[in-house]
Amino acid sequence: MTRKIGVLFVCTGNICRSPTAEGVLRHQAKLAGLEDRLLIDSAGTHGYHIGEPPDRRSVAAARKRGIDLSSLRARKVASGDFDRFDYVLALDRGHFDLLRAACPPGHVERLSMFLSHLGEHGLHDVPDPYYGSARDFEHALDLIERGCAALLAHIRREHFPDHG
């Protein structure tokens, strides 16, 4: 069996944006027939919610689109994640700065801004919906779905060109 390509999404507490991205990419990878070739996870820069499920509003927004986040549990980024994952994706610039500061030498090329895969000038951060309304969670999910589709297309081109 070939090595799986690892993808780690990172936000603050790992209860809104990053588990949503994890669930969306898992869903999209399954539809593309690539779920067995990817290792997909999420984590937070802070340990505020370790062991907790995603925010109920994230779960509800995703469920409406056929994506199940209910089995996911929050965790904090660990030093081994930089070895384990090929892509360590920050959901906003603050996360990127924290990850860059924690990243061991020789692994910085694994770090990137999640939305950079969209290639849209001026679009960097997935806004944190935590203190917002259901509409804010829908907006975050819209961006995450687009970002995951672009990321999956990139991974397919780079790692699985034979899988069209």
Side-chain angles (χ1 to χ4, degrees):
M1 166 119 185
T2 58
R3 185 182 75 80
K4 290 184 177 190
I5 300 302
V7 179
L8 180 68
F9 297 101
V10 180
C11 71
T12 306
N14 193 214
I15 60 167
C16 294
R17 293 170 285 177
S18 58
T20 297
E22 177 185 351
V24 167
L25 188 61
R26 285 177 188 261
H27 180 76
Q28 291 180 358
K30 184 175 183 179
L31 293 175
L34 292 172
E35 72 273 22
D36 293 338
R37 294 183 174 195
L38 301 176
L39 170 66
I40 305 167
D41 200 359
S42 62
T45 56
H46 294 76
Y48 304 137
H49 302 283
I50 292 174
E52 294 179 21
D55 185 286
R56 62 179 170 69
R57 298 165 294 176
S58 290
V59 172
R63 186 181 304 122
K64 284 195 265 185
R65 300 185 194 191
I67 300 163
D68 182 14
L69 306 180
S70 64
S71 66
L72 304 180
R73 294 296 177 265
R75 71 177 186 88
K76 187 177 177 187
V77 173
S79 60
D81 288 335
F82 295 100
D83 286 321
R84 188 172 169 215
F85 294 95
D86 303 282
Y87 297 89
V88 179
L89 302 159
L91 276 285
D92 73 28
R93 286 170 281 201
H95 305 133
F96 184 83
D97 291 343
L98 290 169
L99 288 167
R100 187 174 48 210
C103 186
H107 287 44
V108 74
E109 74 282 352
R110 296 175 182 222
L111 299 178
S112 66
M113 292 290 298
F114 168 60
L115 289 182
S116 69
H117 294 278
L118 283 176
E120 293 182 22
H121 181 69
L123 187 58
H124 303 287
D125 300 342
V126 176
D128 188 353
Y130 187 77
Y131 294 105
S133 67
R135 190 168 157 187
D136 296 309
F137 280 83
E138 293 291 338
H139 175 65
L141 183 51
D142 289 340
L143 287 172
I144 289 168
E145 283 186 329
R146 289 178 52 218
C148 282
L151 174 64
L152 191 58
H154 168 82
I155 290 171
R156 180 179 270 162
R157 280 190 311 274
E158 292 294 313
H159 303 280
F160 311 116
D162 61 321
H163 195 278

